Amino acid sequence: GRCAVIIVAAGSGQRLGHGMPKARVPLGGATMLAHAVQGVVAAGVAAQICIAVPAGDDAMVELCHQVAARSGAGPEMRWSVVDGGADRAASVRAALELVDARVSTVLVHDAARPLTPTGVFDRVVAALRDGAKAVIPALAVADTIKTVVPAELPATGAGVERVSGTPVRNRLRAVQTPQGFDVDTLRRAHAHAQTLDADAAAQITDDAMLVEAIGEDVYVVQGSTHSLKITTPLDLLLAEAMLQGPLR
Ligand code: C5P
């Protein structure tokens, strides 16, 4: 069946501190969005690419058109640009509305992961072909991860955090994009998301957790260190080095 790729690029990029949406931040002589789109086109899996941009950002719409024209995609590629929403899930939902009726699988990809290798797209698509209705790429974590709760130091009452638990590290995975879905499953998951209250909605950080919430199995394939999410200036420095150096 046909596959659509949704690229969410509607974030503000505040943590990167460039004073512009992250997708527009320069990387290796192009923009972050150009790299993300080129990666999707190079993977050769998409019949349609939908990009969610900050609502009302005409410059981002213009950038999408430029990037599409230079992406190397053929004339048969369907491009859509849509106003994103207040949070990531709302941006995905807006893009999902534009997905072609003939599409059977959807990949949701962060524009903030511009260096994602073709192999990751291939593994996600292969698992969908093999019957998975939801697939995520992930890596083992190097750090030990703790959960915390707000707390006060005994003597001073100073506000800190206290550890509430330590999940077993070898069962933890750091989750990336593109996340792949059967289109009906993803639509049902997002319909469910709209029934959540504001507190629950604020805790949605990926699409897979919405699929988990409707009781569908989410399968895991190998991610890549190259799929890092560019969030801080250090990430951007690392990405620049990856584009130049032997890591490529
Ligand atoms: O904020 P976070 O780092 O989780 O963002 C992940 C991705 O979701 C980014 O590519 C960002 O552009 C996108 N996003 C979006 N709409 C929002 C917030 C984030 O498309 N309202």
Side-chain angles (χ1 to χ4, degrees), residues 8-11 15 22 85-88 91 110-112 229:
V8 283
R15 287 167 294 182
K22 218 193 278 185
D87 54 40
R88 187 185 183 283
S91 295
D110 292 335
K229 181 159 86 171

Side-chain angles (χ1 to χ4, degrees), residues 7-13 15 21-23 52-54 60 84-92 109-113 177 204-206 229-231:
I7 300 177
V8 283
S12 64
R15 287 167 294 182
K22 218 193 278 185
V53 300
M60 272 288 288
D87 54 40
R88 187 185 183 283
S91 295
V92 173
H109 189 41
D110 292 335
R113 301 183 190 274
T177 70
I204 301 169
T205 50
D206 75 348
K229 181 159 86 171
I230 297 178
T231 308

Side-chain angles (χ1 to χ4, degrees), residues 60-78:
M60 272 288 288
V61 174
E62 179 55 32
L63 176 63
C64 288
H65 290 303
Q66 279 175 26
V67 162
R70 293 174 196 163
S71 67
E76 65 286 354
M77 180 71 79
R78 230 192 110 189

Side-chain angles (χ1 to χ4, degrees), residues 212-233:
E212 295 159 46
I214 60 167
E216 287 285 351
D217 288 335
V218 177
Y219 293 89
V220 179
V221 296
Q222 185 69 13
S224 167
T225 52
H226 283 52
S227 305
L228 82 163
K229 181 159 86 171
I230 297 178
T231 308
T232 67

Side-chain angles (χ1 to χ4, degrees), residues 1-16:
R2 289 160 74 88
C3 176
V5 179
I6 291 172
I7 300 177
V8 283
S12 64
Q14 277 181 2
R15 287 167 294 182
L16 201 52

